[in-house]
């Protein structure tokens, strides 16, 4: 399974990538923001994206994916510090499959991924 992780923080991308690797997901592609993420979508099966990023934020990125028939069904988990119910509902409305509030534990990431991909 090829996973794209989109976050403007290189530290957060490294944490997510290392966690995914420990969970057995070794095909991980990184992007710094939504525009970069759209350019790296070829062959991606699953997306983890931050909300607050330069160039293109996560919400706009999710909407762009959902409006493209090639990516409309790809599971997307929003991983963000935005924890208010209003933001969570907005992300769900935009098309995210699930939502994780930072900081998170490796167990939370594993549970959410397994829930989304049926693992």
């Amino acid at each position: 399974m090829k996973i794209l992780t989109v976050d403007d923080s290189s530290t957060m991308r490294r944490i997510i990538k290392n966690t995914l690797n420990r969970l057995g997901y070794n095909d991980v592609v990184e992007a710094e923001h939504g525009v970069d993420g759209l350019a790296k979508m070829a062959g991606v099966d699953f997306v983890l994206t931050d909300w607050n990023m330069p160039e293109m934020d996560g919400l706009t990125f999710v909407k762009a994916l959902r409006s493209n028939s090639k990516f409309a069904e790809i599971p997307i988990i929003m991983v963000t510090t935005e924890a208010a119910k209003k933001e969570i509902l907005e992300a769900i409305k935009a098309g995210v499959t699930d939502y994780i509030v930072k900081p998170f534990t490796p167990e939370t990431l594993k549970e959410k991924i397994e829930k989304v991909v049926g693992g």
Side-chain angles (χ1 to χ4, degrees), residues 4 20 25 28 32 34 40-41 43-44 68 70 76-77 84 91:
L4 174 67
L20 291 170
Y25 301 104
V28 180
E32 294 181 32
K40 295 179 176 175
M41 281 302 295
V44 168
N68 183 327
K70 282 173 56 179
I76 303 170
I77 295 180

Side-chain angles (χ1 to χ4, degrees), residues 77-84 88 98-105 108 112:
I77 295 180
M78 180 77 72
V79 184
T80 181
T81 56
E82 299 294 337
I88 294 171
D98 213 327
Y99 200 94
I100 297 173
V101 177
K102 296 177 188 172
F104 60 88
T105 64
T108 299
K112 295 284 187 173

Side-chain angles (χ1 to χ4, degrees), residues 1 3-6 38 41 44-51 53 57-68 70-79 91-92 94-100 109 112-113 115-117:
M1 175 185 304
I3 300 176
L4 174 67
T5 179
V6 187
L38 288 174
M41 281 302 295
V44 168
D45 302 299
F46 190 94
V47 174
L48 294 164
T49 185
D50 186 18
W51 184 312
M53 299 179 287
D57 65 50
L59 204 59
T60 305
F61 175 60
V62 169
K63 290 176 182 175
L65 291 179
R66 292 304 185 221
S67 67
N68 183 327
K70 282 173 56 179
F71 310 122
E73 302 298 323
I74 288 179
I76 303 170
I77 295 180
M78 180 77 72
V79 184
I92 290 170
V96 300
T97 312
D98 213 327
Y99 200 94
I100 297 173
L109 183 61
K112 295 284 187 173
I113 290 174
K115 178 181 162 194
V116 169
V117 299

Side-chain angles (χ1 to χ4, degrees), residues 1-17:
M1 175 185 304
K2 185 173 180 179
I3 300 176
L4 174 67
T5 179
V6 187
D7 198 306
D8 58 323
S9 164
S10 60
T11 301
M12 184 52 67
R13 288 196 313 272
R14 184 169 35 84
I15 290 169
I16 290 174
K17 184 176 183 179

